């Protein structure tokens, strides 16, 4: 694998935002997740749970509801009183419409997907018609006395249930009138509370309404008579969310204690046709409130204040007992938040509303370290890492992407409405910043920014599918060219890679296609053959101009740009196949790089491993030990030499957000331990432990 001096960085103080809502789309097998800062993420569950799209957050958008409608259309609503529809192609907001009912607490699409219902602060329930271009207000239902915190349609589309404070209302959709008002018991652990908040409701086909509330209860109601049928006290704190399977044979609820409970409809006796709801399994995968749950055909999905998205497969629904049956816990975004200036050894950290620039520390090998030390030795620092710059954004919008140039003299970042470019000057221990003014409007909403290796050009991928090339001058810029999207499509380009010689530019969109452009001739050179899974990382090798592409199913391809075909090594590995343990990793490869002096090496990493692929060595088969085979001691060590293979993997650094070569012998690794994130979250509900 080779020996490296590693800068082990743990001062990237990144804390993901908590999860507020989740919405599962059965037709596309995609999951929409909204966070407390207004960010919305789209996960493709068929593509190894990859986060394929995201919409940046906004300070004024506190999302309280999220739902899918007919035609793969995604809507959200929140406390600013607006209903938002997202453009899933251009990755921006299509429009925002005021519902004129104050803050919106709940939203639900009709079973047909053609109507949208919202519950407001003023007690109103509003019905909207979903038209091809927009949504149109249809009518109000009978106004209630308090805010509408939860909504659910009856699968037949004839009635709705609305959860409020202390009661549940059942409405007739045709007339808009409330036909029942079901009062909820305020008793909580034998003590009467002032209010009982109905956090979630679910309307079943047989007319049963299931409610979850702040008194820790799951209750079953008969909507025809408006009476309570059954009551389950399951928690000492709020039950905050509920989701029912499409077959209505199971449902899942999440509590403020971090517990997820699974209820199933089971037969009373083995020969009986009579069935009843039974609490079958509790799961404790969260430390804090579980604010949102979803139920896919094969898994229970939950998220909350502790920022984790947990996907727990239902073993009885998974046909093949392979890695698809494993628990998934997604914490970090599947995109890069860190960029590096190798020449000046600088790291640029991206947060929601600011950027931080750090100078890496340095060490002097003195005394016992003059001779080669053991693997894992910690070298003493002669100079600590230095926080050089804190660059705060103006306005309420989150930063979409950012980048620092290889020479360390330029910083660029983008929000949804503006693009910023700064020139940095270093004078001894001081750093000065000069903003480049009059940046063109077409650069805004950039999804990816990349500098050329010589820091002379800037490449910007817009959300409209176009790629812009900017020449950087001393404190100014010149627009050179724009590559328009292919064949009139508006596919957003999410990943960019430029060759070290600056001649080639590779761009990947959300549909897994990769286009390669000739920067000198300003023409499309070729398109890499389409693959079924989205691209997670790509890079161009220095000497060969081979394009290395990683996909979400853990496949890695090597494509020769000059020859316009896959390389012999890539064909060999596709013919033999990757090791089964390699394919079972559950986090995507997010970065690929190369060693200048070792052209046969490919360096890549995901959140839990760093790997060097040596193309000169044989590929491992499924009978070979993939992780950490022992290196040969000498030339005559035949046994170990037989087991040596191309994949050299290290799992020392985790969770690994970024790793790259600074020079031939030096690596930088940026870690973000989960315990550090949990320490910065608000304290969880204190639970009494046995014996205390």
């Amino acid at each position: 694998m080779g020996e490296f001096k590693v800068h082990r960085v743990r001062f990237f103080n990144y804390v993901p935002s908590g999860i507020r809502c989740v919405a599962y789309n059965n037709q596309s097998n995609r999951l929409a997740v909204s966070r407390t800062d207004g960010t919305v993420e789209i996960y493709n569950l068929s593509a190894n749970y990859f986060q394929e799209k995201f919409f940046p957050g906004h300070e004024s958008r506190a999302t309280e509801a999220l739902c899918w409608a007919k035609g793969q259309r995604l809507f959200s609503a929140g406390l600013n009183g607006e209903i938002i529809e997202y453009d899933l192609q251009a990755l921006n907001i299509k429009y925002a419409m005021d519902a004129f009912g104050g803050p919106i607490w709940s939203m639900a699409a009709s079973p047909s997907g053609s109507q949208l219902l919202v519950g407001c602060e003023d007690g109103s329930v509003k019905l909207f018609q979903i038209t091809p271009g927009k949504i149109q207000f249809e009518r109000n239902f009978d106004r209630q006395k308090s805010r509408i915190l939860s909504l659910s349609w009856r699968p037949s589309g004839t009635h709705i249930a609305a959860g409020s404070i202390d009661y549940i209302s059942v409405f007739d959709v045709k007339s808009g009138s409330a036909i029942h008002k079901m009062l909820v018991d305020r008793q909580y652990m034998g003590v009467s509370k002032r209010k009982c908040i109905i956090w979630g409701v679910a309307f079943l086909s047989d007319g049963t309404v299931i409610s979850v509330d702040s008194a820790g209860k799951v209750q079953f109601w008969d909507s025809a008579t408006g009476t309570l049928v059954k009551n389950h006290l399951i928690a000492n704190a709020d039950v905050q969310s509920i989701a029912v399977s499409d077959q209505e044979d199971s449902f899942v609820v999440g509590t403020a204690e971090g517990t997820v409970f699974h209820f199933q409809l089971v037969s009373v006796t083995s020969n009986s046709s009579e069935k009843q709801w039974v609490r079958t399994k509790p799961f404790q995968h969260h430390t804090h409130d579980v604010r949102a749950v979803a139920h896919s055909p094969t898994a229970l999905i939950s998220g909350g204040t502790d920022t984790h998205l947990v996907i727990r497969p239902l073993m009885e629904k998974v046909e093949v007992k392979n890695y698809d049956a494993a628990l998934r816990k997604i914490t970090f975004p599947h995109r890069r938040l860190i960029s590096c200036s190798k020449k000046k050894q600088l790291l640029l950290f991206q947060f929601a509303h600011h950027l931080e620039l750090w100078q890496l520390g340095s060490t002097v090998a003195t005394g016992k370290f003059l001779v080669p030390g053991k693997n894992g030795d910690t070298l003493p620092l002669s100079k600590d890492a230095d926080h050089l710059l804190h660059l705060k954004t103006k306005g309420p919008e989150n930063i979409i992407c950012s980048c620092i140039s290889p020479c360390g003299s330029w910083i660029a970042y983008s929000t949804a409405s503006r693009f910023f470019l700064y020139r940095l000057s270093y004078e001894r221990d001081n750093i000065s910043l000069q903003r480049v003014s009059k940046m063109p409007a077409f650069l805004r909403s950039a999804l990816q920014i990349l500098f050329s290796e010589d820091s002379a050009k800037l490449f910007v991928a817009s959300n409209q599918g176009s790629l812009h090339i900017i020449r950087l001058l001393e404190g100014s810029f010149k627009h050179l060219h724009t590559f328009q999207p292919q064949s009139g499509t508006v596919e957003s380009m999410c990943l960019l890679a430029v060759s070290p010689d600056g001649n080639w530019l590779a761009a990947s969109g959300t549909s897994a296609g990769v286009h390669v452009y000739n920067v000198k001739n300003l023409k499309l050179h070729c398109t890499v053959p389409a693959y079924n899974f989205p691209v997670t990382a790509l890079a161009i090798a220095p000497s060969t101009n081979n394009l290395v592409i990683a996909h979400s199913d853990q496949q890695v391809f090597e494509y020769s740009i000059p020859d316009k075909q896959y390389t012999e090594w890539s064909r060999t590995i596709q013919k033999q196949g990757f090791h089964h343990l390699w394919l079972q990793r559950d986090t995507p490869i997010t970065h690929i790089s190369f060693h200048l002096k070792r052209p046969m090496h490919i360096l890549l990493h995901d959140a839990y491993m760093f790997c060097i692929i040596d193309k000169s060595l044989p590929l491992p088969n499924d009978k070979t030990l993939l992780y950490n085979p022992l290196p040969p001691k000498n030339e005559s060590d035949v046994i170990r030499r037989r087991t040596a293979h191309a994949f050299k993997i290290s799992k020392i650094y985790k969770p690994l957000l970024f790793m790259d070569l600074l020079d031939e012998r030096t690596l930088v690794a940026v870690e973000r331990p989960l315990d550090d994130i949990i320490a910065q979250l608000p304290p969880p509900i204190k639970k009494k432990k046995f014996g205390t």
Side-chain angles (χ1 to χ4, degrees):
M1 189 170 189
E3 290 187 355
F4 296 98
K5 186 173 71 173
V6 180
H7 288 272
R8 197 168 185 176
V9 174
R10 289 193 169 190
F11 46 77
F12 180 29
N13 196 23
Y14 173 73
V15 179
S17 296
I19 293 173
R20 183 61 194 90
C21 314
V22 295
Y24 175 70
N25 188 318
N26 203 7
Q27 292 178 328
S28 63
N29 198 27
R30 281 173 169 80
L31 183 75
V33 176
S34 73
R35 296 187 178 267
T36 51
D37 66 348
T39 301
V40 174
E41 302 162 346
I42 310 292
Y43 291 84
N44 187 343
L45 303 192
S46 302
N48 208 9
Y49 305 90
F50 178 61
Q51 185 194 111
E52 62 180 5
K53 300 174 183 178
F54 84 101
F55 300 87
H58 194 283
E59 280 183 351
S60 67
R61 283 203 305 267
T63 306
E64 285 290 327
L66 194 66
C67 73
W68 294 92
K70 189 178 180 181
Q72 311 296 314
R73 293 170 70 178
L74 180 64
F75 295 89
S76 77
L79 301 184
N80 61 355
E82 291 181 339
I83 302 170
I84 293 171
E85 183 175 2
Y86 297 91
D87 188 329
L88 298 177
Q89 292 298 317
L91 298 189
N92 60 10
I93 290 173
K94 194 181 269 187
Y95 61 84
M97 177 185 285
D98 198 323
F100 295 103
I104 299 172
W105 291 94
S106 52
M107 178 170 60
S110 64
S112 65
S114 59
Q115 292 174 307
L116 197 66
L117 207 61
V118 296
C120 303
E121 173 75 21
D122 63 0
S124 62
V125 178
K126 298 175 183 289
L127 185 66
F128 290 83
Q129 196 72 29
I130 301 174
T131 60
K134 218 172 182 182
I135 59 171
Q136 190 172 350
F137 175 73
E138 196 167 316
R139 69 173 190 273
N140 282 318
F141 286 16
D142 288 351
R143 181 171 291 191
Q144 303 303 297
K145 290 182 179 178
S146 60
R147 64 181 65 142
I148 308 298
L149 292 161
S150 49
L151 288 167
S152 180
W153 289 79
R154 189 168 182 169
S156 61
T158 56
H159 296 83
I160 64 161
S164 202
I165 298 175
D166 290 335
Y167 62 89
I168 302 163
S169 303
V170 177
F171 292 90
D172 180 85
V173 173
K174 195 171 183 180
S175 66
S177 302
I179 56 175
H180 286 298
K181 183 181 276 189
M182 301 177 289
L183 293 175
V184 179
D185 187 7
R186 295 184 182 182
Q187 290 287 324
Y188 170 73
M189 302 295 289
V191 180
S192 181
K193 295 186 77 177
R194 285 185 297 170
K195 290 180 180 178
C196 185
I197 301 168
I198 315 301
W199 288 118
V201 289
F203 215 139
L204 305 185
S205 301
D206 63 0
T208 301
V209 175
I210 310 172
S211 68
V212 296
D213 58 44
S214 60
K217 301 190 299 291
V218 176
Q219 296 185 312
F220 297 82
W221 306 82
D222 186 339
S223 65
T225 58
T227 55
L228 179 66
V229 177
K230 199 168 186 182
N231 180 45
H232 287 266
L233 182 64
I234 64 167
N236 295 331
D238 298 42
V239 184
Q240 297 182 312
S241 47
I242 181 171
V244 182
S245 67
D246 287 345
Q247 289 76 28
E248 297 185 359
D249 57 355
S250 75
F251 68 89
V252 58
V253 298
T255 73
E257 296 173 323
T259 310
V260 173
F261 290 98
H262 187 206
F263 284 77
Q264 289 177 284
L265 193 61
V266 297
S267 300
V268 176
T269 60
S270 58
N271 299 322
S272 172
S273 60
E274 184 185 351
K275 294 186 175 183
Q276 67 178 10
W277 288 102
V278 175
R279 186 179 74 189
T280 53
K281 305 181 194 102
F283 306 115
Q284 189 77 43
H285 300 305
H286 296 274
T287 56
H288 291 65
D289 303 36
V290 179
R291 301 295 303 272
V293 291
H295 199 314
S296 79
T298 58
L300 307 179
I301 302 163
S302 57
T305 308
D306 66 358
T307 77
H308 299 307
L309 178 65
V310 176
I311 301 165
R312 191 189 193 289
L314 297 168
M315 297 303 290
E316 65 271 18
K317 301 285 177 113
V318 178
E319 294 179 5
V320 182
K321 299 298 186 284
N322 59 5
Y323 74 102
D324 287 329
L327 175 78
R328 301 291 178 105
K329 189 177 274 194
I330 301 169
T331 307
F332 301 103
H334 293 163
R335 61 185 189 278
R336 283 174 55 192
L337 300 174
I338 301 161
S339 57
C340 175
S341 167
K342 297 180 182 180
K343 291 178 184 175
K344 285 194 175 287
Q345 299 208 341
L346 301 172
L347 289 177
L348 184 70
F349 297 145
Q350 177 185 317
F351 296 86
H353 293 284
H354 74 275
L355 301 172
E356 288 184 6
L357 184 64
W358 287 77
Q359 173 88 55
L360 290 172
S362 56
T363 182
V364 178
T366 57
K368 65 176 182 176
F369 295 106
L370 285 172
V371 293
K374 297 193 300 293
N375 182 27
D377 278 350
T378 302
L379 300 176
L381 286 175
S382 59
K383 186 183 176 218
D384 288 334
D386 193 8
H387 187 184
L388 300 178
L389 181 68
H390 182 102
L391 184 59
K392 198 173 187 309
T393 62
K394 293 180 180 178
E397 296 172 331
N398 283 21
I399 297 173
I400 302 174
C401 58
S402 61
C403 193
I404 186 170
S405 64
C407 69
S409 298
W410 298 92
I411 287 177
Y413 73 90
S414 174
T415 66
S417 64
R418 300 177 79 182
F419 186 91
F420 297 88
L421 180 63
Y422 290 90
R423 173 79 172 173
L424 277 69
S425 301
Y426 303 89
E427 296 173 8
R428 296 181 185 174
D429 293 335
N430 295 325
I431 182 170
S432 60
L433 200 66
Q434 179 193 349
R435 182 180 163 190
V436 179
S437 59
K438 297 181 181 178
M439 297 302 295
F442 57 73
L443 293 179
R444 67 186 181 188
S445 282
L447 295 178
Q448 187 76 6
I449 304 168
L450 191 64
F451 289 90
S452 61
E453 196 71 27
D454 60 2
S455 302
K457 291 189 181 76
L458 175 65
F459 304 97
V460 180
S462 80
N463 65 343
Q464 300 299 319
S466 52
L467 297 171
H468 307 288
I469 304 178
I470 308 293
R471 184 189 296 281
L472 299 174
L473 308 170
E474 190 70 33
S476 63
F477 68 93
K478 182 184 178 184
H479 177 236
L480 290 181
H481 187 72
T482 295
F483 292 112
Q484 297 298 339
Q486 301 302 309
S487 65
T489 59
V490 189
E491 184 196 15
S492 301
M493 293 296 171
C494 301
L495 289 170
L496 295 177
V498 63
S499 61
D501 60 15
N503 293 335
W504 306 103
L505 176 67
S508 167
T510 52
S511 66
V514 179
H515 305 295
V516 180
Y517 298 90
N518 188 318
V519 178
K520 276 191 171 181
N521 299 336
L522 300 177
K523 288 182 180 179
L524 176 68
H525 176 69
C526 64
T527 299
V528 179
Y531 188 65
N532 295 333
F533 289 85
V535 178
T536 66
L538 46 84
I540 301 174
S543 53
T544 58
N545 281 329
N546 289 339
L547 174 65
V548 179
I549 308 167
H551 292 270
S552 65
D553 63 344
Q554 311 299 358
Q555 296 288 339
V556 178
F557 295 91
E558 187 181 47
Y559 185 84
S560 173
I561 293 176
D563 298 338
K564 298 185 182 181
Q565 63 179 7
Y566 288 113
T567 64
E568 195 60 41
W569 178 83
S570 187
R571 294 175 192 274
T572 303
I573 200 166
Q574 288 303 313
K575 188 176 180 180
Q576 178 178 321
F578 283 87
H579 196 284
H580 69 282
L581 292 177
W582 175 269
L583 298 176
Q584 288 176 14
R585 294 179 300 105
D586 58 3
T587 58
I589 293 166
T590 53
H591 186 60
I592 302 170
S593 58
F594 305 94
H595 198 296
L596 288 172
K597 295 293 177 71
R598 298 172 188 167
M600 297 301 285
H601 287 191
I602 302 171
L603 289 74
L604 42 82
H605 77 83
D606 63 17
Y608 291 97
M609 73 99 220
F610 168 64
C611 176
I612 296 178
I613 301 176
D614 187 344
K615 295 187 292 180
S616 64
L617 290 176
L619 298 170
N621 56 42
D622 281 352
K623 295 178 181 178
T624 312
L625 183 68
L626 178 67
Y627 297 115
N628 304 326
L630 295 170
K633 290 179 180 177
N634 49 52
E635 291 296 327
S636 61
D637 196 342
V638 180
I639 297 173
R640 290 188 181 181
R641 190 161 292 284
R642 277 181 193 160
T643 60
H645 58 71
F647 287 71
K648 312 300 179 187
I649 296 172
S650 169
K651 290 191 168 187
I652 297 172
Y653 312 102
K654 54 189 178 183
L656 190 58
L657 299 190
F658 179 77
M659 196 163 202
D660 202 0
L661 271 173
L662 293 175
D663 56 46
E664 298 168 27
R665 308 279 300 174
T666 311
L667 284 167
V668 58
V670 181
E671 300 170 277
R672 187 63 178 137
L674 296 178
D675 290 344
D676 293 354
I677 293 175
I678 292 170
Q680 295 189 45
L681 298 176
I685 288 178
K686 189 175 181 181
K687 288 184 282 187
K688 183 177 173 62
K689 293 185 179 179
F690 179 76
T692 60

